[in-house]
Amino acid sequence: MTQPATRLSLAISFRRLLQISLAILLLAAIGIGSATAETLALVSDRVIDGRAAKARPGAVVLVDGEHITAVADRSEIPADATVIELPGTTLMPGMINAHEHPLMYASDYQNAHLQGSSARKALMGLAGAQEHLLAGWTSIRVVGDADVFYAAQELRKVIDDGIFIGPRLSGAGHYLSITGGGGDVNFLSPEQHVIADGLVVDGPEEVRKAVRREIKYGSDWIKLLVTGAFQSVGDNPRNIAFSPEELRAAVEEAERHGVPVAAHAHAAEGIKQAVKAGVRSIEHGTFIDAEAARMMAKRGTFLVPTIYVGDYYAETGDLLAQEKNDDYMKNDRANFLAAIGRAHKAGVKITVGIDLGGYGVDPTVFAREFAILHEAGMTPMEAIQAGTRVNAELLQWEDRLGTIEVGKLADIIAVAGNPLEDMSALEKVSFVMIGGKVVKRPGRTESLSGLLIRAPQH
Ligand SMILES: [Zn+2]
């Protein structure tokens, strides 16, 4: 007999809760108890919108709340707008890094993986991601990370929930690797059993199970190591790791859940098998040939070449597989740049990815990737669009991000000077806004709640 009464009182309290919530919503709507959204007017020397072939001199970007509401002339700034003057700069969409591993906190990443707990990686990764943001990178696609658990997905949650300020994250918890592949630990004796940095799987059934597990714990991309890698010990970038059956199983399973696949592939034949299997992006693509480029152009497969990382590590001695990187620099880099130029001409969508790990590297140098794409034959404007609009398309966020256009989320940066004349301007980011929130502005060092405070690293 007590049950119905309990249910009734629950129902009443639920209704009361609903009434209170509605009242709060109403008060918020008429501006009581919450700040009314103010219009911000961003004023610089020119605007690169991520779509037009030319910069627009003297244009002003108006932002209301989270969104861009106008790209206008200075005379059109509303009287009540707050004006942010950014003289000597160029406004452009926030940069998007389409290839990153925020949890890799040291150059010898496989040793670091074995030594660092998932909690340590999460903390280091958060600090690194915030530094990324302050260097102008407002979105990051995680292409699998070195972790036993899913710290990268937890990072995404605390940022999305507004607990910490950080870039928008998307991506895969792990890179799937074959036994002995680039995601396996291949430098220990057979007596040792460790949990590798990648998710090691063999055969279509294990691949399917791994894809399901990745999605279960929050991956919205699947990452496959289709060929060997340059920076891991004991495998060869010219060899293909997964069989065509395993590739098909991965893409088919991911597709059934509406999740795209990113394929790490250096060898031309590996690229072709991955493209045939239906992946959305090829990562690196070092030995891409004309046929692979034609296939990619035809199917709209993106190429994320990640070139600067090789330059960064040239002859440093910092990598576990240093000799492979040095060999690439000596024998393959020039051919790779020429091949990227040809692929671009053939219509392959080239994008910007950095692959330089989360912690320990000054993120201002990441923007050097743009200048290298220019070296490979793209115009400065095409390179900038590759790291903004084209990357937003790769991430399937083109409805919200990637350009400075009315209705888009206000992820906007200002860089010193004119990057169309001097691409090193992209390394000098003086202003960063994400979702309409200013997180960096010239000459101001106010601490923001939600931003970690730690000792300077660089
Ligand atoms: Zn990578």
Side-chain angles (χ1 to χ4, degrees):
M1 285 304 284
T2 57
Q3 260 190 344
T6 311
R7 230 182 264 147
L8 188 66
S9 72
L10 271 177
I12 288 169
S13 65
F14 180 70
R15 185 180 295 173
R16 189 168 293 165
L17 252 179
L18 202 66
Q19 283 167 346
I20 294 167
S21 321
L22 281 173
I24 291 170
L25 276 178
L26 198 68
L27 288 173
I30 57 172
I32 297 171
S34 74
T36 48
E38 58 171 347
T39 300
L40 297 178
L42 311 181
V43 184
S44 71
D45 291 5
R46 67 192 68 76
V47 174
I48 291 173
D49 69 6
R51 192 178 301 281
K54 286 189 176 154
R56 181 169 161 184
V60 169
V61 181
L62 300 182
V63 175
D64 256 294
E66 282 186 282
H67 293 95
I68 296 163
T69 49
V71 183
D73 292 329
R74 197 170 181 133
S75 59
E76 296 169 82
I77 298 176
D80 61 348
T82 302
V83 178
I84 299 178
E85 299 276 0
L86 301 160
T89 70
T90 300
L91 285 171
M92 57 177 270
M95 296 183 282
I96 299 175
N97 179 355
H99 185 115
E100 202 47 85
H101 313 279
L103 304 183
M104 287 183 188
Y105 61 94
S107 304
D108 63 338
Y109 67 95
Q110 287 190 310
N111 274 327
H113 158 70
L114 295 172
Q115 290 161 9
S117 68
S118 194
R120 179 187 168 111
K121 290 168 190 168
L123 288 166
M124 302 294 262
L126 178 56
Q130 291 185 328
E131 288 188 335
H132 239 96
L133 175 62
L134 296 178
W137 301 88
T138 48
S139 296
I140 298 175
R141 183 180 62 145
V142 181
V143 279
D145 229 320
D147 187 19
V148 172
F149 297 130
Y150 286 85
Q153 277 59 43
E154 303 301 339
L155 273 191
R156 177 185 183 165
K157 282 181 211 159
V158 293
I159 291 170
D160 285 354
D161 291 348
I163 299 165
F164 288 100
I165 293 171
R168 300 175 199 279
L169 294 178
S170 176
H174 301 94
Y175 28 91
L176 273 54
S177 163
I178 62 159
T179 294
D184 200 357
V185 175
N186 304 321
F187 51 82
L188 296 178
S189 71
E191 290 91 330
Q192 302 304 326
H193 293 283
V194 296
I195 304 179
D197 48 317
L199 198 49
V200 176
V201 286
D202 297 291
E205 285 317 299
E206 280 188 22
V207 167
R208 271 183 207 283
K209 186 152 191 178
V211 168
R212 290 175 186 175
R213 187 183 127 166
E214 285 289 286
I215 295 169
K216 170 179 174 174
Y217 291 114
S219 296
D220 55 6
W221 277 82
I222 295 298
K223 167 74 179 300
L224 305 175
L225 298 183
V226 174
T227 71
F230 274 101
Q231 298 192 354
S232 50
V233 176
D235 64 336
N236 185 340
R238 292 182 182 272
N239 291 347
I240 304 172
F242 282 115
S243 70
E245 294 72 36
E246 289 169 320
L247 290 179
R248 268 200 303 278
V251 176
E252 207 180 272
E253 191 61 36
E255 245 170 27
R256 293 198 305 111
H257 303 275
V259 171
V261 177
H264 158 114
H266 294 291
E269 187 53 33
I271 298 171
K272 289 172 205 171
Q273 288 186 15
V275 172
K276 252 185 237 162
V279 304
R280 186 167 177 82
S281 66
I282 294 293
E283 311 298 310
H284 320 301
T286 308
F287 304 117
I288 185 170
D289 62 13
E291 190 191 3
R294 263 198 309 276
M295 287 169 66
M296 291 176 69
K298 192 166 166 228
R299 290 170 189 244
T301 318
F302 294 81
L303 175 64
V304 193
T306 70
I307 316 150
Y308 177 66
V309 59
D311 295 6
Y312 181 85
Y313 282 119
E315 291 172 18
T316 58
D318 289 347
L319 299 173
L320 289 171
Q322 185 68 47
E323 66 288 352
K324 277 201 275 187
N325 192 66
D326 291 347
D327 184 50
Y328 155 81
M329 292 303 290
K330 225 167 82 196
N331 299 310
D332 303 318
R333 185 185 187 273
N335 293 336
F336 185 26
L337 287 196
I340 291 167
R342 286 194 297 271
H344 173 59
K345 281 211 182 81
V348 177
K349 289 183 269 195
I350 314 276
T351 84
V352 172
I354 307 306
D355 203 14
L356 208 37
Y359 176 78
V361 176
D362 174 359
T364 59
V365 303
F366 294 174
R368 292 183 187 169
E369 184 77 9
F370 290 90
I372 302 174
L373 289 181
H374 177 41
E375 197 186 331
M378 296 171 79
T379 67
M381 187 60 103
E382 285 170 341
I384 289 171
Q385 291 179 352
T388 53
R389 179 174 49 79
V390 184
N391 259 346
E393 189 192 336
L394 166 62
L395 270 67
Q396 299 175 306
W397 286 351
E398 69 269 26
D399 58 333
R400 282 157 279 172
L401 294 170
T403 59
I404 296 184
E405 291 176 303
V406 173
K408 291 276 175 84
L409 287 167
D411 287 10
I412 300 169
I413 62 172
V415 302
N418 184 353
L420 300 174
E421 286 166 7
D422 174 5
M423 298 203 82
S424 74
L426 300 169
E427 297 169 46
K428 300 172 202 103
V429 173
S430 58
F431 171 88
V432 179
M433 168 181 272
I434 182 163
K437 197 182 288 174
V438 179
V439 293
K440 181 180 186 177
R441 70 164 87 185
R444 296 271 282 273
T445 52
E446 72 263 54
S447 70
L448 293 148
S449 82
L451 213 49
L452 292 179
I453 298 164
R454 64 175 189 150
Q457 299 297 306
H458 312 295

